[in-house]
Each structure stands twice: as C-alpha cells, then as structure tokens.
Amino acid sequence: MPFDYDVVIPTLGNRPALLDQSIASALGQTLPPARVIVVVDGDLIAAAEIKQRWPAVDVVAVAERSGTAAARQRGIESCSATWVTFLDDDDLWAKRKMAVTADYLERHSTCQAVRAVYWIFAEPGDPINEYGGQNVDMHGTSLDDLERAAIGMSPANDFEYLRIQGDSLGLLLERNRGVISTTCVRRSLLEGIPAVPPTMHAGEDHVLFCLIATRAEWHLIDEPLLFYRVHSAQYTRTGIGMARGIIQSRVTAWELCGDAAPRSLGTYGWTYRREFRPFLWAMLRPGKLVEAFRTWTASFQLLPYWTDRALLLIPEPVVWRWDHRVRRITAAAGPKKGYVLDSTAEDRPRLSVCVVTYERPTYLERCLRSLDENVSDDVEIVVVDASKESAEALVAGIRPSAIYVHAPQLAGWMTRSRNEALKRARGDVISFLDDDVVVSAQWQAALLAAYDDPSVSAVAGRTRNLQPGEDVYDQPVGRLRQDGSLTEGFASIQPPTTPIDHGIGANMSFRRRMLARLGGFRDDYPGTAIREDTDIFLRVKRAGGRAVFATDAVVDHLPAPHVHGARFDLRYKLYARRNHMVLLARYDGIRSRMLRRWIVHELRSVRQVAGLRRKAQRLVVITIGIGWGAAAMIRQAHWTPMDPARGDPLATQLRLRMMADAPDGH
C-alpha cells in the first residue's frame, strides 16, 4: 500500500511570509503529501488570503481564536490519510523529510510514532547563537540556502535526549523532548487518544507527545530533517509566562497520562527542581516575592514531598557546585573501551555476564576460565575492575572478546561497578556473578530456560558453598517474612523455577528492560554493599515483575577474603543492620509494621545468646546498628513505600543508554 500522509499546519495567520515558506516546504517534498491542511485560528480574512495564495491547500477557518491545541485538533479531525504529520507555521521541512520517514516506517512495521533530529537556524543578521540551551547551527532565509549550508555539516547539538524508545512516557514526563514539526503519527492512534485541553496556551505539544506515548513508543530518525527557526516573535524565546506554562503542561500531562506512568510522581523531584529553580530565582533576585511565591506554590502540584519543595529554594550557585561534582563523577565513569551506545535487536546477544572485581586477580582468573569453558562464544562477558592495577592482559588472554573496564575510581562501590557494567552490557538477559564463583556446565542453559517464561523478570541461580547438608533447606527459599527478616537457602535443591522475593548477588540475573525501567542498582548501600542484591529483587517485585530460583543454574561459591576486614566481623554486622533498616524503609515505608517488627525481632534475639558478656556485646551491636540505620533511612527513605524506579540524573542517563532499541518484554 502506498505511503500516504496529511500535513497539519496551525496558524494565527499573522505572519504570512513565514507561513508561505512552511507551506512551500510541505508541498515541495520529494514524496508529496495527500493534503496540506492549514488551520487558521481566529482570522477569517487571513484564511481567505491563504486560500487565494495556495489553492492546492485545504484551509480550515476558525472564527474565534481558540489556541494552538484546539487548532491542531481541528486539523487532526480533518485528516483522512493513514499518517498525520505536523508542521509549525515558521519551520521548514528538508525536501527529503517525508521520503526518509516513509522508508523508516517501511523498515519498522510496528512503529506508530516517529520523530527526527533537526537543524536550528535564525535569520541573517539575528545575533542569536543559542536557544533554550541549544546552539544555533546556521543563519539563512530560504530552504535552498539552508540545505546548501547543511551539506557536510553535523548538528551542533547533542540529540541523545530524544532517544526515548522503550521508556517514552516515563522520560517525556520528566521534560519535553522534541519538536512537533519533526513528528509523524498513525492517524488511528491519534483518534484513540484524548484531545489536548484547548485551554492550554503553552506546552500543548509536550502533552500531545505524552498522550501518544501512552499508546506507542516514540522512534527516532537520526538524520536531521527539519530546519527549526528561532526568532524574536517566538513565544518560547520571549519567555512570557514560561514558568507557569511549563508547570501547567507538566500538571496536565500527569492528569491525562499519570495512570499509565511507569514511575510515580515523587521520583521526578530532582528533574522538576532543576527545571523550575531558574525561574523561581529569576523572580527572587529582583525582589518579585509575590510572583516567586505563587510560582513556588504552583510547583507543589508536581513536588509531593516537602523535601523537594524546600530544596527548590536553594540558591543556584550551590546547585551549580553540586552539578559540577556530578558531571565530574559521570565523566570519570564515562564511555571507555568497549562501550556501545546503541545496538539493534538483531545484533544484541541473548545473554551478557557481568563480573565486578577488586584486587582479587587470582579469583577473577578462575571465574573467567570457568566461563570460557562453560558458556557459548556468543555470550558477552563484561568485567569491571576497580583494582589499582589493570588486569586487561589477563582478561584478554582468557576471553579475547570480553569487554574490560578498568575503573579504579569505583573502588569500594560494588553497586556503582555493577551500574558501570550495565552501560556496556548489550544482552537481553544480564547476569551478575561474583568474581569468586565457578560456573557449572549447565549454568547457561538452565538460566536462559527460566526466561522462556515471559512473566519472569529476575532469576537467582543455585549457589553452592560446598558445605555439608546445604542442599536441604526446611523453609521457603528467598522470602521476605512479615517480621522483616529474610530466608535464604540458595544452596539448596528446590523445584525448578521456585518463586522468590529476593536472590543472592553472587549468581543473579535480570531482563534488560526491567533493569532499565528501574534505573539500575541503588548505589548507596555502603560497606560491602550488603542488601544491594535484596534491594534490586524487591524493586523488581514492587514494579510488578516475577522472580524465580533456578536450581539447575548452578555455581560454586568459593569465598575469597575481603580486601578490608573479614566476613561477619563487627564492621560487617553494623553495616548489615544499617542497610537492612534502609531496605525495609524503602520497600514498605518508614512507618511500616514490618520495620517495627524487625526491630523488635532483633532486640529479642539478644535472649538467644548464651552468656552475659555476649548478650551485652550483641545488644551494643544491635543498638548502634539500628541507630545508624534510623539516621540513614530518614535521609534515604519516605514514610510510605518508595517508587522502585530511581529518578536521579545518573539513573536517567543509564536508563537512556539501556533503553535504546530495547526489545519488547519485561
């Protein structure tokens, strides 16, 4: 069936010269449109003049001005083609725009909504070099001049923020991502979503993007296909009502799309604070206290936690210093050897195995040799090494195809090393193994067999410690009890794919899409990262995923000595209680009964210890650990259960990288 599309151009009719250029760019496509529909909002005289100048264009005249959202909706209702495209009355399409779009849609038959990157241009003589944090690529007037100027150029801006496929709605709720003049959407999809409220006078395109994302994922064409004009008459450039407009668009998006949101409103606090703070302080500096107060209170609709509302008032210089620190950390952990930003579903391996290590080369060598002997050649292996000295030669000598990342700045942060591995891992299933395990011959087959069930999002494999009697466990394996305690039994023999609440970090795996949705591992469990593995499993459960114990996915765990301290020493016991309190508070809320029951359970356990001296020692350890945990959970948890998805900027960066062309599934 031939590709057919209609073009919708809403306009006030008050800038005919710019409108004529836009219409000409639509009619001049190498793949012509079925119809160009110009909706003139509130100016019947201008509508008649447009029809006279452009007889081939369908002009819809609206007698009373109703706003861009209503005008665009009138255009959608007038369309009859399979696809609908949008063009603002001051933007210009590249001549191949729709031919390239049609080719993309033919190659991606399931795509229902697609956008493209774009050039930013200004009129000659306009001194503007930056717009909304983005650089102006060129200056020009006619489409021919702009296309000639673009030959051999690359866009001056980074458009990675447009790459949202796989988490389109979640990322669009953070901020507006894209320009409506690059979009092409299937008409049947537009007819099945609510109309953008006509009362909106700013951010209506953002709300439309969100509504579309409730039904389909947004694809991206990497070739720039639009010349986006910036000029003095542009609403967004003048900044009139900018703060209120942005808040209104975000609130409206949540009202219309919140039920489908993959994350709760509270997880977006950091993003909204960063977006609203410049507007607030632009009012506070000159003493516009009333306007600042109104803007601040209006933001409460998007900031449910008082901590976020208070942090919004922090002066910008303080925030800049913190941002500089975050950027420095991000740069230090940025792309290194082996990093792949994008991979298509066709070239992505089924399984990636991630091993994080620190100052244990002998154990790492043993682990890698067992992997090389027992997993197939198409399995991707990623090693993140926080040691002072590089072991790249060792890794390459065992598995030349392995991805090795030397990151000594991550020493002491196992979870950050795991997240670093996630930036490189390309598999649909991502496994994490400790560097002191040895995999069995059937491990790979048994692990992947568990994922044949599409409802499974996480798998914990059997982890033998080679201790007598460990293959029998008389309690349910891997469960979180009502009193906040955990059952274990991960060395025992159980029925295949036994349901569990949590797993063991030495031998655990997850679907790529689930890890991306969660934003990776929480990296603030100190010590030896005690409970970080339990945390990720419980977040999978809270997100609606299912975790199982795969008895046949066996590894032998031959524990290596800790670089600092010893397992189960005093330091370990204190961190264990501190981290466990934070875990329960995050999962069930600070005021949960489960947390209170666990505290009571811990205090009562003193009775089980023989001898007065040992009782006193245990009581001191429990008291210090609980006190430390209480102080930590007040900072790191909420009164109610936390959203399982991380919302901090580093998590967003990780989510974007992992979601690029992610396959369908859990």
Side-chain angles (χ1 to χ4, degrees):
M1 181 177 177
F3 182 84
D4 63 318
Y5 69 96
D6 291 334
V7 186
V8 175
I9 306 178
T11 182
L12 295 174
N14 59 347
R15 41 189 183 186
L18 298 182
L19 173 63
D20 286 351
Q21 284 187 304
S22 298
I23 294 175
S25 74
L27 292 175
Q29 291 292 298
T30 56
L31 179 62
R35 299 162 67 205
V36 175
I37 302 168
V38 178
V39 183
V40 185
D41 187 24
D43 193 332
L44 299 180
I45 296 176
E49 292 174 349
I50 294 169
K51 185 63 179 178
Q52 186 177 9
R53 294 197 308 272
W54 299 96
V57 169
D58 292 348
V59 178
V60 177
V62 180
E64 295 184 4
R65 183 171 297 183
S66 53
T68 304
R72 191 174 285 132
Q73 184 63 30
R74 285 288 297 272
I76 294 171
E77 294 168 356
S78 301
C79 291
S80 56
T82 306
W83 295 90
V84 177
T85 60
F86 301 99
L87 178 60
D88 282 350
D89 66 354
D90 57 347
D91 294 335
L92 303 176
W93 278 353
K95 294 174 183 177
R96 298 177 56 252
K97 194 263 186 188
M98 291 311 301
V100 173
T101 301
D103 177 68
Y104 182 92
L105 292 171
E106 183 179 358
R107 290 184 288 107
H108 298 80
S109 58
T110 61
C111 175
Q112 299 187 69
V114 65
R115 300 179 297 175
V117 300
Y118 52 90
W119 303 101
I120 298 178
F121 81 100
E123 295 285 339
D126 191 331
I128 183 173
N129 291 311
E130 184 182 6
Y131 163 76
Q134 293 183 309
N135 298 313
V136 173
D137 292 287
M138 62 190 74
H139 289 73
T141 301
S142 70
L143 179 60
D144 289 338
D145 290 342
L146 294 170
E147 292 207 320
R148 278 194 295 268
I151 296 175
M153 285 184 60
S154 297
N157 299 290
D158 182 3
F159 288 107
E160 272 308 306
Y161 80 103
L162 296 179
R163 200 178 303 279
I164 60 176
Q165 184 183 348
D167 190 25
S168 295
L169 180 57
L171 293 171
L172 280 167
L173 287 171
E174 285 185 351
R175 56 175 288 197
N176 191 14
R177 296 173 182 268
V179 173
I180 198 161
S181 295
T182 69
T183 60
C184 181
V185 185
R186 190 177 287 274
R187 179 167 62 89
S188 58
L189 187 152
L190 290 170
E191 292 175 343
I193 61 176
V196 176
T199 55
M200 291 199 66
H201 299 293
E204 71 283 341
D205 51 351
H206 172 234
V207 175
L208 180 60
F209 291 159
C210 291
L211 286 168
I212 292 169
T214 63
R215 302 294 182 89
E217 291 292 338
W218 278 103
H219 287 232
L220 179 67
I221 299 173
D222 286 319
E223 180 179 347
L225 300 176
L226 171 76
F227 295 92
Y228 180 73
R229 188 193 307 264
V230 293
H231 51 85
S232 58
Q234 198 165 17
Y235 176 87
T236 50
R237 184 179 166 192
T238 61
I240 299 174
M242 175 72 80
R244 297 290 179 84
I246 288 177
I247 292 174
Q248 180 195 20
S249 71
R250 303 298 184 268
V251 170
T252 304
W254 276 100
E255 289 175 347
L256 295 177
C257 310
D259 290 342
R263 297 179 285 283
S264 70
L265 177 60
T267 62
Y268 292 87
W270 186 91
T271 301
Y272 292 151
R273 293 199 318 264
R274 185 171 186 175
E275 188 172 30
F276 301 155
R277 185 180 286 110
F279 300 116
L280 186 63
W281 279 91
M283 299 171 193
L284 286 172
R285 285 194 197 97
K288 298 179 180 178
L289 301 182
V290 174
E291 278 298 309
F293 180 76
R294 289 175 179 171
T295 301
W296 182 57
T297 54
S299 71
F300 290 1
Q301 300 172 84
L302 297 166
L303 299 173
Y305 301 124
W306 273 102
T307 51
D308 286 325
R309 299 171 183 178
L311 289 171
L312 188 59
L313 300 174
I314 294 177
E316 286 185 277
V318 177
V319 178
W320 291 337
R321 284 194 290 271
W322 172 252
D323 284 350
H324 176 72
R325 180 184 177 190
V326 171
R327 285 195 298 269
R328 189 172 58 197
I329 293 172
T330 303
K336 296 182 178 65
K337 179 179 177 180
Y339 172 63
V340 178
L341 176 62
D342 287 323
S343 57
T344 62
E346 288 77 13
D347 68 6
R348 177 177 292 127
R350 176 85 192 280
L351 174 64
S352 292
V353 180
C354 301
V355 181
V356 301
T357 185
Y358 176 50
E359 302 293 0
R360 303 198 295 201
T362 302
Y363 291 89
L364 174 64
E365 179 180 2
R366 184 183 65 185
C367 176
L368 291 178
R369 292 198 183 281
S370 74
L371 281 169
D372 192 54
E373 293 170 2
N374 294 311
V375 302
S376 57
D377 292 339
D378 60 345
V379 172
E380 179 184 66
I381 296 178
V382 180
V383 177
V384 177
D385 185 2
S387 307
K388 292 181 180 179
E389 302 296 329
S390 172
E392 185 172 10
L394 169 66
V395 175
I398 299 173
R399 185 86 166 193
S401 63
I403 298 170
Y404 177 79
V405 180
H406 186 220
Q409 74 276 7
L410 300 179
W413 295 98
M414 179 186 289
T415 46
R416 294 181 184 177
S417 293
R418 293 196 197 278
N419 285 335
E420 190 69 21
L422 288 179
K423 296 177 184 178
R424 275 76 175 175
R426 299 179 300 126
D428 297 339
V429 173
I430 301 178
S431 167
F432 290 90
L433 296 176
D434 280 0
D435 61 358
D436 53 359
V437 305
V438 174
V439 301
S440 62
Q442 74 270 24
W443 176 81
Q444 178 185 346
L447 177 67
L448 293 179
Y451 285 102
D452 290 339
D453 182 349
S455 70
V456 172
S457 297
V459 173
R462 186 182 175 206
T463 306
R464 298 184 302 201
N465 299 302
L466 306 183
Q467 298 296 318
E470 68 179 7
D471 56 344
V472 177
Y473 191 71
D474 58 1
Q475 301 180 56
V477 65
R479 290 296 188 178
L480 173 63
R481 295 191 183 102
Q482 289 300 310
D483 64 1
S485 61
L486 301 168
T487 66
E488 298 180 351
F490 299 112
S492 64
I493 299 175
Q494 301 288 332
T497 60
T498 300
I500 57 174
D501 295 327
H502 74 103
I504 184 170
N507 183 13
M508 62 183 179
S509 62
F510 308 87
R511 288 195 192 272
R512 174 189 188 86
R513 178 174 293 274
M514 177 57 77
L515 285 174
R517 177 181 173 187
L518 297 177
F521 292 83
R522 286 179 175 145
D523 58 7
D524 52 2
Y525 285 98
T528 53
I530 305 165
R531 294 294 181 262
E532 50 90 16
D533 46 3
T534 306
D535 178 270
I536 192 74
F537 274 94
L538 292 181
R539 288 163 62 204
V540 168
K541 179 181 179 181
R542 182 68 76 189
R546 180 167 171 259
V548 299
F549 178 65
T551 301
D552 295 331
V554 182
V555 303
D556 289 332
H557 188 208
L558 309 170
H562 287 207
V563 176
H564 300 292
R567 190 169 178 82
F568 304 122
D569 63 5
L570 177 60
R571 173 177 174 270
Y572 181 95
K573 293 174 182 177
L574 289 174
Y575 274 116
R577 286 169 173 82
R578 181 260 187 214
N579 291 356
H580 195 83
M581 282 195 71
V582 172
L583 170 81
L584 294 180
R586 285 172 163 172
Y587 178 73
D588 210 37
I590 292 176
R591 58 187 178 188
S592 70
R593 291 183 179 180
M594 180 181 292
L595 179 58
R596 295 197 298 270
R597 289 169 178 166
W598 178 80
I599 293 173
V600 172
H601 175 270
E602 280 291 294
L603 293 173
R604 286 178 175 173
S605 68
V606 176
R607 302 174 183 174
Q608 302 170 8
V609 179
L612 184 61
R613 182 178 177 181
R614 293 185 61 195
K615 286 181 185 291
Q617 290 175 339
R618 185 177 183 90
L619 180 61
V620 169
V621 170
I622 290 173
T623 302
I624 295 175
I626 289 176
W628 189 15
M633 74 180 183
I634 291 172
R635 296 192 312 271
Q636 299 176 354
H638 301 313
W639 287 107
T640 55
M642 288 182 64
D643 191 295
R646 293 173 61 198
D648 58 274
L650 296 180
T652 299
Q653 179 192 60
L654 180 62
R655 186 177 292 115
L656 282 169
R657 290 181 177 181
M658 295 186 68
M659 279 295 189
D661 298 323
D664 292 333
H666 291 73

